[in-house]
Amino acid sequence: MSPSSQCANGMKAKVIQNHLRSLADPEVAEKSQRFFKTGKGDYGEGDRFLGIRVPILRAQVTQYGELSLIEIGRLLKSNFHEERHFALMLLVRQFSKRDAVQRKAIYEFYLDNTRYINNWDLVDCSAPGIVGVYLEGNSRRLLYALAESTSLWERRIAIISTLHFIKKDDFADTLKISALLLNDGEDLIHKAVGWMLREVGNRDFSVEEKFLKKNYRDMPRTMLRYAIEKFPGEMRKSYLDGSA
């Protein structure tokens, strides 16, 4: 039976897991273990990988139709990184096709399960397309609560979700949350904030520059480097040596 036929008859998470595990590549898995810092004390400590590259994983999402939130939840709770990644990509796809009531249910499901959205790529593939899109027409107070969370991943969700707003030329929340996260102790937050500031600059250089002029001396070095990555050479140098 094809994946589409199985979906029509009520796809179960176990069927998808079996399919994904048939695509496993031990060599890729070993490289992923190192790339995603899964050693003791690292941000991805204990994470396990099947070894499925993202383009292959993404292609599987298009093969499947309907899957209930209960079944998506089973995939999201998997010990294997790619199964959680698949669940989130499927969730984003479903969210984009649903009405307002169903979108609300997906959004709430996402926020109820942030403990499983526990690596940078899992946040980045899902937060803008679910949290960002949902909050475009709603109160954004939640983002500020997430920005103050003890969870690294919830703080990353807060800033990365604003990518959706940036694409609409709406920068206010990105800048406010960036200011809140200036003193964050995590390198993955430094990178995320720097990236979002760079995206603001890609849309409106003067907005990014105004923020940097005020804050660059207080920014972690990695955050600053990410933010000014596309600046002209001499300007980039002036920020790095503190003379901007």
Side-chain angles (χ1 to χ4, degrees):
M1 185 182 291
S2 70
S4 58
S5 297
Q6 291 170 322
C7 282
N9 292 321
M11 175 64 73
K12 299 297 184 183
K14 189 63 179 176
V15 173
I16 297 174
Q17 286 177 317
N18 289 339
H19 176 61
L20 293 178
R21 292 175 193 187
S22 75
L23 302 172
D25 184 327
E27 272 190 45
V28 175
E30 186 178 348
K31 290 177 182 176
S32 295
Q33 294 282 152
R34 293 194 299 271
F35 181 73
F36 284 98
K37 310 292 185 186
T38 60
K40 187 172 178 58
D42 291 333
Y43 64 77
E45 180 178 352
D47 206 353
R48 298 171 63 193
F49 288 80
L50 293 169
I52 307 173
R53 298 188 188 279
V54 172
I56 296 173
L57 193 63
R58 188 178 294 116
Q60 310 316 306
V61 174
T62 64
Q63 293 187 51
Y64 297 95
E66 298 304 311
L67 193 67
S68 71
L69 289 180
I70 291 173
E71 295 300 322
I72 291 176
R74 288 175 179 150
L75 289 171
L76 192 56
K77 293 172 185 175
S78 171
N79 290 326
F80 287 106
H81 186 100
E82 292 92 342
E83 291 178 6
R84 300 197 304 280
H85 199 160
F86 177 91
L88 291 164
M89 288 194 290
L90 184 58
L91 209 57
V92 172
R93 187 170 184 264
Q94 287 194 3
F95 184 89
S96 71
K97 297 175 181 296
R98 296 299 191 259
D99 62 24
V101 172
Q102 293 168 318
R103 284 187 170 198
K104 185 174 187 288
I106 292 171
Y107 165 78
E108 291 176 348
F109 172 86
Y110 184 89
L111 293 177
D112 286 342
N113 288 279
T114 56
R115 62 191 176 279
Y116 305 111
I117 308 168
N118 57 354
N119 218 310
W120 58 265
D121 61 323
L122 303 183
V123 172
D124 297 359
C125 81
S126 59
I130 296 176
V131 179
V133 173
Y134 184 83
L135 294 182
E136 183 182 352
N138 292 286
S139 168
R140 300 177 188 179
R141 287 194 300 270
L142 171 90
L143 294 180
Y144 296 86
L146 291 176
E148 295 179 351
S149 170
T150 58
S151 164
L152 158 63
W153 307 118
E154 289 189 347
R155 299 198 304 278
R156 189 168 175 111
I157 288 170
I159 187 63
I160 296 296
S161 292
T162 70
L163 180 59
H164 176 73
F165 311 148
I166 293 169
K167 291 178 178 178
K168 304 283 186 176
D169 293 327
D170 179 357
F171 311 130
D173 293 292
T174 302
L175 300 177
K176 289 175 186 175
I177 293 169
S178 293
L180 287 175
L181 295 173
L182 280 179
N183 298 313
D184 197 280
E186 294 286 351
D187 187 63
L188 284 173
I189 297 299
H190 303 169
K191 291 176 178 177
V193 172
W195 172 25
M196 291 302 100
L197 290 172
R198 187 173 73 237
E199 291 294 334
V200 168
N202 288 342
R203 292 276 181 165
D204 191 327
F205 182 79
S206 66
V207 172
E208 182 189 7
E209 188 176 34
K210 182 179 179 181
F211 181 90
L212 291 177
K213 289 286 188 181
K214 180 179 178 181
N215 297 293
Y216 84 96
R217 289 187 176 88
D218 299 319
M219 293 171 69
R221 201 70 166 174
T222 297
M223 187 185 294
L224 179 60
R225 286 186 179 277
Y226 269 61
I228 64 174
E229 183 178 301
K230 295 186 178 180
F231 282 22
E234 285 302 313
M235 180 179 289
R236 190 167 63 249
K237 182 177 181 297
S238 71
Y239 274 99
L240 292 173
D241 67 20
S243 63

